[in-house]
Amino acid sequence: MEHMTNEQKHKQILKEVKATFILIAIVAAWHIGFAFLLEDIDMLVLGMPLWFFVSTIGAFVVSVVGVVFLLAKIFKDFDLGDESEKGGDLNEQ
């Protein structure tokens, strides 16, 4: 676990939030885009229309790959506690 100052923690949290929202936007664009782009194609995949299969199943796959990427490259494990808590409770004597 990484030890960070409060400012570093704040910057890291903002970085994680921004990356998560970017992934949400990518998945939403995939889902909506392929649903509209492929709606006129009369092809079935596993008994489902092509637009449904690509937009829904594809969005799930993109989500899983995106989350794995975020966990590997963006997110960091750090303690959310105060820096002053390192030495224990200061009120105890």
Side-chain angles (χ1 to χ4, degrees):
M1 188 173 323
E2 193 170 329
H3 294 287
M4 305 170 103
T5 65
N6 283 338
E7 184 178 334
Q8 290 172 324
K9 290 176 189 179
H10 182 70
K11 287 181 181 180
Q12 179 62 30
I13 290 169
L14 289 178
K15 181 180 177 183
E16 292 174 7
V17 168
K18 289 175 187 176
T20 302
F21 277 120
I22 290 170
L23 178 60
I24 291 169
I26 290 169
V27 172
W30 176 285
H31 185 63
I32 295 167
F34 278 109
F36 283 112
L37 288 173
L38 301 175
E39 70 178 335
D40 293 331
I41 298 176
D42 294 329
M43 182 180 188
L44 296 177
V45 176
L46 300 174
M48 297 178 284
L50 181 64
W51 68 265
F52 178 83
F53 187 81
V54 173
S55 71
T56 305
I57 307 300
F60 173 75
V61 172
V62 169
S63 298
V64 170
V65 170
V67 167
V68 169
F69 174 79
L70 289 179
L71 290 174
K73 301 292 183 183
I74 305 295
F75 283 59
K76 290 185 180 178
D77 185 21
F78 60 91
D79 187 17
L80 288 175
D82 258 351
E83 293 176 50
S84 61
E85 294 177 4
K86 288 180 185 175
D89 191 3
L90 296 177
N91 294 330
E92 288 182 12
Q93 297 201 12

